[in-house]
Amino acid sequence: MAHDVRAPSPDLLAFWREHHLCTLTTLRPDGSPHVVPVGVTYDPETGIARVITNKNSRKVANILAAAGPEAPRVAVCQVKKGYWSTLEGRATVRTEADAVADAERRYEERYGRVPTPNPDRVVIEITLDRAIGRG
């Protein structure tokens, strides 16, 4: 079932605010998928999902390698029993201190813990254009 990323149903929004481990799928330079567990925050007001990570991670390298006139497409997904949701969009890597701090705050709100300090932290921002799910 398709959902509006800017106006999700109350159930979908609640699902993305619960504590769930998610996955992020990026494409390697050879086109094969790279799927890794991550924490994700979702802001329907701006239509952006965020992932905090290390600037030297493979996921960041995949996004930067694919950067061109348009940011590369990625997907984040989470599952709980028969309920699942995938958010898709174009990813950019943000390094600005205010963007990182904002993403860390959002992560703390969703996951109930302050991220471990990391001077190499960056934020993958996904400008969403598709949401699908079932539950």
Side-chain angles (χ1 to χ4, degrees), residues 82-104:
Y83 195 38
W84 62 272
S85 177
T86 300
L87 304 175
E88 300 176 27
R90 298 201 175 271
T92 57
V93 177
R94 303 278 308 271
T95 60
E96 305 89 350
D98 61 331
V100 172
D102 178 57
E104 290 172 333

Side-chain angles (χ1 to χ4, degrees), residues 27-97:
L27 296 178
R28 295 181 184 100
D30 69 3
S32 63
H34 178 254
V35 183
V36 294
V38 294
V40 176
T41 62
Y42 167 39
D43 179 4
E45 288 183 24
T46 61
I48 294 175
R50 292 172 179 84
V51 175
I52 57 175
T53 190
N54 189 294
K55 69 180 180 182
N56 300 310
S57 68
R58 174 81 275 179
K59 55 192 159 288
V60 167
N62 290 342
I63 291 166
L64 294 176
E70 290 190 9
R73 292 194 62 79
V74 302
V76 290
C77 182
Q78 63 182 19
V79 178
K80 179 182 178 184
K81 297 184 182 180
Y83 195 38
W84 62 272
S85 177
T86 300
L87 304 175
E88 300 176 27
R90 298 201 175 271
T92 57
V93 177
R94 303 278 308 271
T95 60
E96 305 89 350

Side-chain angles (χ1 to χ4, degrees), residues 1-5 7-9 12 84-86 129-134:
M1 166 189 261
H3 299 272
D4 183 342
V5 297
S9 70
L12 181 72
W84 62 272
S85 177
T86 300
D129 57 26
R130 183 179 298 158
I132 56 174
R134 179 169 181 259

